[in-house]
Amino acid sequence: MSQIADNRILRITKLFVYLMMGLVALLGAIALGGSALVPFFWSTIFLGLSKSYPAVDPAFLLSNFLAIMTLWVLISGLAWSILRKLLAIIGSVEEANPFVRANAVRLKAIGWLMVGIQIAGVPLEIAGSTFLALRGKPYDGFELPINSILAILLVFILAGIFEHGADMREELEGTV
Amino acid sequence: MPVTVKLDDLLYARRMTLTELAERVDITLANLSILKTGKAKAIRFSTLEAICKVLECQPGDLLGFDADGEGA
């Protein structure tokens, strides 16, 4: 086993990814359960809400709530997929075999899934602003997620590096 | 690939098997097989030197160039 494969950081990262997967699965399940159950109890919930916020429209609020839950389920699915791919990449590093074409494909897919999360985050933020407005907090508007954009670009660059690494490795394997 | 490896012909001319050559040049049979079948992407000078020493030949005797070959 190589030094990289024996790395503690790798083991900690793997543990962290497993924890994140658990969290994502839990949040996804809550959102799924919420979107399935809340409509049945909406009248009761709305009675409580209308006492605090009399001007609120129940149909509008319910549709916003369902939109948030649906988007949250979608984002959880995308995040789950990212974490699964990340786990596979970590596995290949553990086996001291990271420069394979599959990892380049995985990284590219992770990049696109991250783009998907960013896109799904926009309507989520807009729908969420309805609930913030109830509490008197106005919607600040869309902010450019510079950190996320940089992270996505980094992942695509890494995918290119892995593709190049896989090419070099294939050539090395064909060298006698 | 337009570069061809004529290891088969050289071995036949010297009445030597690939296994024998592998033992004498200290290169694995698998690697020599890759070279013989033309699947190799590159050849190290050290490999070329070892083969030429054992087969008493020049690198040019081992390699050929066919411009009309596949991938040319």
Side-chain angles (χ1 to χ4, degrees):
Chain A
M1 194 179 269
S2 78
Q3 212 174 349
I4 303 168
D6 198 28
N7 205 330
R8 274 185 198 170
I9 294 171
L10 210 64
R11 283 201 296 265
I12 293 167
T13 310
K14 203 172 174 181
L15 187 72
F16 181 73
V17 171
Y18 275 125
L19 283 172
M20 288 287 288
M21 282 174 91
L23 190 69
V24 165
L26 182 72
L27 290 175
I30 289 170
L32 199 66
S35 57
L37 294 175
V38 164
F40 294 106
F41 303 102
W42 187 244
S43 51
T44 319
I45 294 166
F46 185 71
L47 268 177
L49 278 172
S50 60
K51 280 174 191 164
S52 311
Y53 313 103
V56 78
D57 173 16
F60 178 69
L61 210 58
L62 179 62
S63 62
N64 263 289
F65 175 80
L66 289 177
I68 289 170
M69 291 297 117
T70 309
L71 285 165
W72 195 247
V73 170
L74 176 73
I75 288 172
S76 300
L78 295 173
W80 177 267
S81 191
I82 287 175
L83 292 167
R84 281 288 301 269
K85 288 181 197 313
L86 196 58
L87 213 54
I89 292 171
I90 294 169
S92 73
V93 178
E94 274 181 330
E95 289 165 6
N97 188 28
F99 289 110
V100 287
R101 227 158 268 283
N103 277 350
V105 174
R106 280 181 191 127
L107 278 168
K108 238 180 234 175
I110 286 174
W112 285 117
L113 287 164
M114 284 168 82
V115 170
I117 287 179
Q118 287 304 310
I119 293 169
V122 175
L124 181 69
E125 201 176 313
I126 294 166
S129 68
T130 318
F131 288 91
L132 285 176
L134 280 180
R135 301 177 69 184
K137 292 180 184 171
Y139 178 52
D140 296 335
F142 178 75
E143 276 180 38
L144 198 66
I146 299 286
N147 286 346
S148 304
I149 291 170
L150 280 176
I152 290 165
L153 289 175
L154 190 68
V155 168
F156 279 122
I157 291 166
L158 266 176
I161 290 170
F162 269 72
E163 213 164 333
H164 194 60
D167 279 345
M168 284 170 74
R169 188 178 173 160
E170 274 172 20
E171 194 167 311
L172 193 69
E173 278 173 353
T175 302
V176 177
Chain B
M1 201 187 284
V3 174
T4 54
V5 180
K6 297 182 279 185
L7 187 61
D8 231 3
D9 300 341
L10 281 171
L11 284 173
Y12 181 75
R14 270 115 182 122
R15 298 286 186 269
M16 197 185 281
T17 64
L18 200 65
T19 315
E20 255 179 275
L21 180 67
E23 282 166 4
R24 290 180 66 179
V25 297
D26 201 25
I27 294 170
T28 63
L29 186 62
N31 270 348
L32 274 185
S33 186
I34 287 170
L35 187 64
K36 196 186 93 167
T37 51
K39 286 176 186 162
K41 287 189 177 171
I43 180 165
R44 290 188 188 92
F45 278 163
S46 57
T47 307
L48 210 52
E49 187 188 321
I51 294 172
C52 286
K53 208 177 264 180
V54 172
L55 296 181
E56 293 171 346
C57 65
Q58 291 296 312
D61 299 328
L62 187 66
L63 302 172
F65 179 73
D66 175 18
D68 298 325
E70 193 189 328

